[in-house]
Amino acid sequence: MADLGDLQSLTSSITAVTSPFRNYLNDLHAKYQSLNDGAVADYIPELALAKPEWFGICVVTAEGQVFEVGNCDQLFTIQSISKAFVFGLALEDHGRDYVNSKVSVEPTGEAFNAIVLDEVTNRPYNPMVNAGAIATADLIKGHSSTERLKRVLAMFQRYTGREHDINVPVFLSEKATGFRNRAMAYLMLNFGMISDRIDETLDLYFQQCSIMVNARDLAMLSATLANGGVNPVTQERAIDEHHVQDVISVMLTCGMYDASGEWCYRVGMPAKSGVGGGITAVVPGQLGIGTFSPPLDAKGNSYRGIKVCEDLAKDFGLHVFNAAKPERDINEWIAGGNDLNDW
Ligand code: DON
């Protein structure tokens, strides 16, 4: 009979044979775990409780294979990553033209919380900065604030395949301190860009930012977009296929705030970051990446998360405009592997 030592070495050799990509991710995680740059966000007091060493990486393919390493079960608040997906729901609720009449799709080159509107049309610049995200939240349909929130939570469940809760202390912390967001909302009300249910819409915006997710959820969100709007594990449709292109395009041009140009140049994956330390990145038709590491750079993007996505893009030629033969063929590396243990 095999003893524990035999079993362990058998298991690790099977993993090594069936899933070289898993070993690659382990190495990537080890490479950047010791990186101590950046700082945990503290402008919302509750966010400052995150541990700087938390670090998870998850990759989900459009075929539903899941690879993960590190703190992929640790919950944190989705923050601005929610903006891309709520934009998708607004598109479903009203169609592209109406949404575009309220929110433009132009990068700002400014910080995510800049108080700035298009001088000619008075629209917020795009749905990924706070002003645009508040205008987008205003568009979410529902007969009551509870119904609107339920629709947002149900949408996230379709993407990730599991139920989500709000982190109430974070929500209350944002509500108590979000004066800039309140100022933007009133500015947009002044220009007729949003309806006068200001408090309800701001609550919805603060609640969507306070939804709790883990790194695996973030990979599932982007894998669903990569798979044309269908969750590759549950096979449930999360968003109408006609709106996937619009969501992904705005992620590519505006998803990393005033670092979006640099990100597109170096990484080339439509992505969205949040001040909770998450990044979700889409490789259309192929896979979704979710990273979680709370220390942020000066522009509000996760330091380790950026490094991980840069390496994945370079090593596997995942930049959407890459035309060269990649160093490694992702299809060969992921063949046969799957870490879908706890589902
Ligand atoms: O509006 C805020 O301040 C936050 N709830 C969302 C900000 C965010 O995640 C910006 N991200 N990098």
Side-chain angles (χ1 to χ4, degrees), residues 41-335:
D42 59 5
Y43 77 101
I44 300 166
E46 277 292 318
L47 292 184
L49 304 176
K51 293 202 169 90
E53 63 272 19
W54 283 339
F55 184 25
I57 309 171
C58 181
V59 174
V60 177
T61 70
E63 281 76 42
Q65 293 159 285
V66 179
F67 302 89
E68 56 186 40
V69 54
N71 305 115
C72 287
D73 288 314
Q74 177 62 52
L75 292 172
F76 54 97
T77 53
I78 189 168
Q79 295 295 338
S80 284
I81 296 169
S82 63
K83 295 169 179 172
F85 301 90
V86 175
F87 174 56
L89 188 58
L91 289 169
E92 289 192 306
D93 278 359
H94 297 277
R96 190 191 218 194
D97 292 343
Y98 186 76
V99 173
N100 202 228
S101 74
K102 298 288 178 190
V103 190
S104 182
V105 287
E106 209 56 57
T108 59
E110 306 230 23
F112 66 86
N113 57 2
I115 304 184
V116 53
L117 301 177
D118 181 312
E119 278 179 15
V120 177
T121 63
N122 295 321
R123 287 176 301 172
Y125 273 92
N126 66 69
M128 306 292 157
V129 290
N130 289 5
I134 294 165
T136 305
D138 181 51
L139 295 174
I140 298 307
K141 283 186 178 169
H143 295 300
S144 63
S145 48
T146 311
E147 192 188 332
R148 292 167 79 203
L149 175 61
K150 273 191 182 159
R151 290 191 66 235
V152 168
L153 289 170
M155 171 201 65
F156 279 105
Q157 182 170 356
R158 291 196 296 278
Y159 274 97
T160 66
R162 67 179 200 90
E163 266 183 53
H164 294 277
D165 293 319
I166 303 282
N167 181 322
V168 177
V170 172
F171 163 56
L172 294 176
S173 191
E174 295 223 29
K175 190 176 157 93
T177 59
F179 304 118
R180 283 185 80 93
N181 289 328
R182 216 165 279 283
M184 281 175 225
Y186 278 100
L187 188 64
M188 291 189 289
L189 176 63
N190 173 65
F191 288 118
M193 282 295 129
I194 60 174
S195 67
D196 61 4
R197 49 179 181 180
I198 292 258
D199 287 329
E200 202 185 287
T201 290
L202 279 169
D203 273 1
L204 183 60
Y205 170 70
F206 294 137
Q207 283 160 339
Q208 76 177 60
C209 289
S210 308
I211 292 172
M212 293 203 284
V213 291
N214 57 35
R216 193 185 305 119
D217 296 325
L218 295 186
M220 216 52 92
L221 284 163
S222 45
T224 298
L225 290 175
N227 192 38
V230 174
N231 177 308
V233 174
T234 65
Q235 296 304 323
E236 185 174 7
R237 176 161 289 287
I239 175 172
D240 187 294
E241 61 185 340
H242 297 98
H243 298 306
V244 172
Q245 173 185 303
D246 289 347
V247 173
I248 296 180
S249 303
V250 181
M251 288 169 79
L252 183 63
T253 52
C254 311
M256 303 297 277
Y257 304 112
D258 41 333
S260 295
E262 182 88 8
W263 172 273
C264 182
Y265 189 71
R266 293 192 184 286
V267 182
M269 298 173 190
K272 187 73 206 81
S273 63
V275 290
I279 295 179
T280 189
V282 186
V283 183
Q286 290 195 68
L287 50 87
I289 301 167
T291 64
F292 168 54
S293 165
L296 309 177
D297 67 11
K299 296 188 171 175
N301 298 318
S302 165
Y303 229 102
R304 292 192 190 103
I306 292 174
K307 293 283 179 204
V308 166
C309 293
E310 267 178 6
D311 276 25
L312 280 164
K314 182 166 65 67
D315 292 342
F316 294 97
L318 298 179
H319 191 299
V320 280
F321 304 128
N322 175 57
K325 189 171 162 32
E327 214 171 290
R328 301 170 170 90
D329 180 341
I330 187 82
N331 293 315
E332 283 172 16
W333 281 64
I334 60 178

